[in-house]
Amino acid sequence: MEEGRAERRRRTEAPSHTQGGPRRAGVMTDVHRRFLQLLMTHGVLEEWDVRRLQKHCYRVHDRTAAVEELEDFINNINSVLESLYIEIKKGATEDDGRPVYALVNLATTSVSKMASDFAENELDLFRKALELIIDSETGFASSTNILNLVDQLKGKKMRKKEAEQVLQKFVQNKWLIEKEGEFTLHSRAILEMEQYIRETYPDAVKICNICHSLLIQGQSCETCGIRMHLPCVAKYFQSNSEPRCPHCNDYWPHEIPVFDPEKEREAATSRATKRSLRSRQH
Amino acid sequence: MLQKPRSRGRPNSQAERERDWGRGAAEEAPSTSRGAGSSQEARSASSQGSRRAEASPEVGPRSQQQLELKVAELVQFLLIKDQKKIPIKRTDILKHVIGDYKDIFPDLLKLAAERLEYVFGYKLVELEPKSNTYILINTLEPVEEDAEVRGDQGTPTTGLLMIVLGLIFMKGNTIKETEVWDFLRRLGVYPTKKHLVFGDPKKLITEEFVRQRYLEYRRIPHTDPVDYELQWGPRTNLETSKMKVLKFVAKVHNQDPKDWPAQYCEALADEEARARPETSGPAPSS
């Protein structure tokens, strides 16, 4: 039944245009398809949620099979997605290093997820906020500073009151995070827009000295200026009583954060129960 | 200090907005290791000599990579548009994605449809023959537990829409709006009262579901006060079936579909009609 359909699909596949070379793309089954479909309903998803989703898809389509190791599972899907210039990208939250996943567009083409949900002036407001965030020392832009740019927006004129609501919309859709009246990028935006940001703001963009990915929030060496994500700091200086800058060897002037994996798991499971209760309402 | 993204001129403001946002410094050259191959279609030679300042900067046959990228853009576009459940117009596809590649539009669409089905399990289908609007049909059966792992509401396969679809079918494929509310009132759903789950039920049924083409909503002439009739829309026939809806109704009543012999016969006939080989394939006829 299910296998037959997957079989048939494999046979009818092989669109010749994807054969760029001898590299073999993985094989899609209904397990992978359902996984992709449901993953797409989330802008960004935490790892334990992704594992739950994966298990669900196996349960629906292939109860007897062993659940493939998540990394291999995702790599398999990514090899198929490659010809579509999208991939399931893994990242981490900047404040506490939780692994997160998002389906991102690799080619910065004109079709963007944000463009379809927001009006021209709203997109421009986001762009303004993005620029302020990238330029800032802390990775945060204050609500006041963002709202002061409302007059410069392209498209329909927007009032500050309206702009406040648009900023909240960005928070709800997981493009921005708000903390005490200041805004920074959500891990979703970082994952989806890293390439765009690096290409568009090559001089202002900050990179982590340890993982070499885009850095919005982090710690910096006061002597030589290199920067590191908080989770990267935690890992690098783990149980090091005399933390020193990896670049200039000066004493690292900041408090080294400690991330407790046990606490993370507890927090994660309590989030899970809250969410499943909510989804059962309808 | 901060570089502004380069935006290529396009006569239309929405496309410009999308480009301005997404393009940035990189145009058609994503960071893949594959180099530009040679063109695969003889037809693309027609683009030779057409010098337009827009999409493709090069004149001449399009490379393998450019074609692949176009298909990728098209797949993205269709996925994003379908998420809103609004049928996708061919004119929108041509305007926002295809552009200069208009001459090979049917091939691009066919390739995109193949990828959509193989990779995501979505079938690209024309809403009605010759309508030049498309929707995506899920080839995977939705499952109740999906609701627990999705990030959005999902399509209302059970819920208010199913109830209305059931009502329409059981009443002989057409029903008056007043009859719908007479029934829904019993479930605590009113046209004028805000509902905890459905929000504005009247707007949902007479506007949202209609726009998504699940329902058709027509005024009945010479009625006073004005009354409307509701029927299944073209999307319903593509996404579900009379038998599935009958089974749903039966389940709600804790009975067997055969307990409604007239409807059961009709549903069976519908199943048979569906089982017959399709006369037209899912790919559009240019």
Side-chain angles (χ1 to χ4, degrees):
Chain A
M1 301 163 279
E2 225 54 76
E3 278 313 293
R5 227 195 303 163
E7 220 96 35
R8 246 178 288 131
R9 220 161 259 146
R10 244 173 275 141
R11 255 184 274 130
T12 58
E13 196 253 326
S16 53
H17 74 291
T18 59
Q19 300 329 309
R23 180 187 17 93
R24 235 177 355 116
V27 164
M28 294 294 281
T29 68
D30 281 349
V31 177
H32 303 101
R33 291 180 190 107
R34 189 173 292 263
F35 179 82
L36 259 186
Q37 282 190 14
L38 293 169
L39 181 66
M40 281 195 301
T41 63
H42 300 268
V44 65
L45 202 55
E46 290 190 36
E47 191 170 71
W48 66 273
D49 257 328
V50 174
R51 289 186 194 280
R52 202 165 70 109
L53 175 59
Q54 185 200 19
K55 285 200 193 82
H56 163 74
C57 297
Y58 270 94
R59 241 180 283 130
V60 173
H61 291 286
D62 204 348
R63 277 183 181 274
T64 55
V67 174
E68 193 179 5
E69 176 57 43
L70 186 65
E71 191 178 335
D72 298 323
F73 185 78
I74 289 184
N75 284 340
N76 181 35
I77 297 176
N78 276 339
S79 67
V80 176
L81 293 179
E82 198 175 343
S83 64
L84 290 174
Y85 297 102
I86 49 182
E87 77 167 337
I88 301 171
K89 200 166 161 193
K90 181 176 177 181
T93 55
E94 281 193 320
D95 50 1
D96 54 4
R98 276 171 290 137
V100 292
Y101 294 81
L103 190 66
V104 305
N105 189 352
L106 291 178
T108 46
T109 65
S110 63
V111 183
S112 131
K113 263 169 238 170
M114 259 203 121
S116 64
D117 283 332
F118 298 98
E120 186 183 357
N121 56 2
E122 293 174 329
L123 288 175
D124 212 31
L125 181 68
F126 183 82
R127 206 173 295 132
K128 292 273 184 281
L130 178 65
E131 286 177 11
L132 285 175
I133 289 169
I134 292 173
D135 263 347
S136 75
E137 183 53 37
T138 58
F140 282 86
S142 74
S143 173
T144 324
N145 287 344
I146 299 173
L147 294 176
N148 279 339
L149 300 174
V150 144
D151 293 325
Q152 302 173 22
L153 294 181
K154 288 187 205 156
K156 203 170 111 182
K157 188 161 159 68
M158 191 191 293
R159 274 167 304 196
K160 282 195 180 164
K161 208 62 206 213
E162 197 189 330
E164 277 179 358
Q165 288 172 352
V166 176
L167 287 176
Q168 286 314 312
K169 217 164 75 156
F170 291 145
V171 172
Q172 275 157 36
N173 285 285
K174 304 203 182 147
W175 296 107
L176 294 177
I177 294 174
E178 183 183 3
K179 247 190 203 136
E180 293 164 13
E182 293 198 311
F183 293 90
T184 188
L185 292 186
H186 195 286
S187 54
R188 180 191 189 178
I190 293 176
L191 274 174
E192 288 230 29
M193 300 174 185
E194 169 159 10
Q195 197 177 341
Y196 167 75
I197 290 172
R198 290 173 88 135
E199 285 164 2
T200 313
Y201 309 106
D203 302 321
V205 80
K206 303 175 187 79
I207 305 292
C208 174
N209 190 263
I210 301 298
C211 69
H212 307 291
S213 296
L214 175 66
L215 183 144
I216 300 291
Q217 291 177 62
Q219 293 179 351
S220 63
C221 174
E222 273 156 27
T223 313
C224 66
I226 61 124
R227 293 169 190 272
M228 298 200 271
H229 292 117
L230 294 167
C232 295
V233 169
K235 214 188 294 179
Y236 185 75
F237 290 131
Q238 201 176 355
S239 51
N240 183 334
S241 51
E242 267 192 29
R244 285 173 172 278
C245 172
H247 190 251
C248 69
N249 213 37
D250 230 11
Y251 282 112
W252 193 255
H254 308 282
E255 186 186 331
I256 311 298
V258 177
F259 297 127
D260 187 349
E262 202 42 58
K263 277 217 193 78
E264 294 308 318
R265 222 171 293 140
E266 278 177 37
T269 31
S270 76
R271 269 193 296 265
T273 7
K274 272 194 223 115
R275 196 171 310 146
S276 60
L277 285 173
R278 230 186 306 136
S279 74
R280 247 177 271 263
Q281 231 182 34
H282 184 31
Chain B
M1 178 192 50
L2 286 170
Q3 280 180 30
K4 292 267 152 90
R6 258 188 298 138
S7 76
R8 301 272 166 116
R10 247 207 180 179
N12 149 338
S13 64
Q14 200 207 355
E16 191 181 76
R17 174 231 311 168
E18 286 176 3
R19 278 175 172 272
D20 202 27
W21 172 247
R23 283 279 139 114
E27 257 283 359
E28 337 251 6
S31 43
T32 60
S33 51
R34 272 166 289 166
S38 54
S39 142
Q40 59 168 177
E41 316 256 35
R43 249 187 289 179
S44 57
S46 65
S47 72
Q48 259 171 348
S50 66
R51 216 169 271 275
R52 298 208 217 149
E54 312 187 90
S56 41
E58 302 104 83
V59 176
R62 300 163 182 130
S63 67
Q64 178 86 332
Q65 190 184 50
Q66 282 176 297
L67 290 168
E68 219 174 63
L69 189 56
K70 257 310 155 191
V71 174
E73 273 185 61
L74 185 49
V75 167
Q76 281 261 305
F77 183 80
L78 292 168
L79 282 171
I80 292 175
K81 282 287 178 179
D82 185 73
Q83 261 189 347
K84 320 261 161 140
K85 286 294 161 217
I86 312 278
I88 310 151
K89 295 198 200 101
R90 177 188 279 223
T91 44
D92 282 342
I93 299 175
L94 287 167
K95 183 160 83 171
H96 297 300
V97 185
I98 305 295
D100 275 356
Y101 291 66
K102 199 171 171 184
D103 52 319
I104 51 166
F105 169 69
D107 298 304
L108 290 176
L109 198 63
K110 182 156 167 279
L111 286 171
E114 275 173 26
R115 293 270 86 195
L116 275 168
E117 189 163 356
Y118 179 68
V119 179
F120 297 95
Y122 289 125
K123 207 160 146 182
L124 182 71
V125 173
E126 211 169 346
L127 197 58
E128 280 161 314
K130 305 246 179 62
S131 62
N132 286 337
T133 49
Y134 305 94
I135 57 170
L136 295 183
I137 304 288
N138 201 344
T139 59
L140 303 177
E141 284 294 329
V143 146
E144 261 184 64
E145 290 78 19
D146 279 346
E148 289 165 39
V149 287
R150 15 179 8 121
D152 59 8
Q153 294 305 102
T155 42
T157 47
T158 52
L160 194 57
L161 176 62
M162 267 319 241
I163 294 172
V164 175
L165 293 178
L167 270 175
I168 294 172
F169 175 56
M170 300 309 275
K171 285 278 189 171
N173 299 309
T174 186
I175 191 174
K176 296 207 195 89
E177 187 183 351
T178 40
E179 291 179 270
V180 171
W181 295 118
D182 284 339
F183 181 85
L184 291 177
R185 251 180 269 269
R186 287 188 257 157
L187 301 174
V189 180
Y190 304 89
T192 45
K193 206 160 109 178
K194 190 159 188 234
H195 192 269
L196 229 71
V197 177
F198 307 126
D200 185 342
K202 167 125 177 131
K203 195 162 181 215
L204 193 56
I205 292 174
T206 63
E207 287 177 38
E208 189 81 8
F209 291 158
V210 175
R211 200 159 17 102
Q212 294 170 349
R213 312 297 245 111
Y214 285 109
L215 295 176
E216 303 246 328
Y217 184 61
R218 270 186 282 256
R219 212 188 98 169
I220 306 174
H222 313 304
T223 47
D224 185 33
V226 185
D227 204 355
Y228 295 80
E229 65 178 4
L230 283 155
Q231 294 172 337
W232 282 19
R235 187 192 277 268
T236 301
N237 283 308
L238 290 168
E239 284 194 14
T240 186
S241 68
K242 289 179 177 173
M243 187 56 85
K244 287 197 186 127
V245 172
L246 180 60
K247 285 190 174 152
F248 168 78
V249 173
K251 191 163 144 195
V252 163
H253 287 86
N254 213 7
Q255 286 176 256
D256 188 274
K258 299 201 186 79
D259 293 344
W260 291 272
Q263 284 86 350
Y264 187 72
C265 270
E266 197 183 330
L268 266 183
D270 181 60
E271 289 297 287
E272 272 165 40
R274 281 162 188 269
R276 267 182 248 129
E278 295 171 272
T279 46
S280 55
S285 47
S286 158

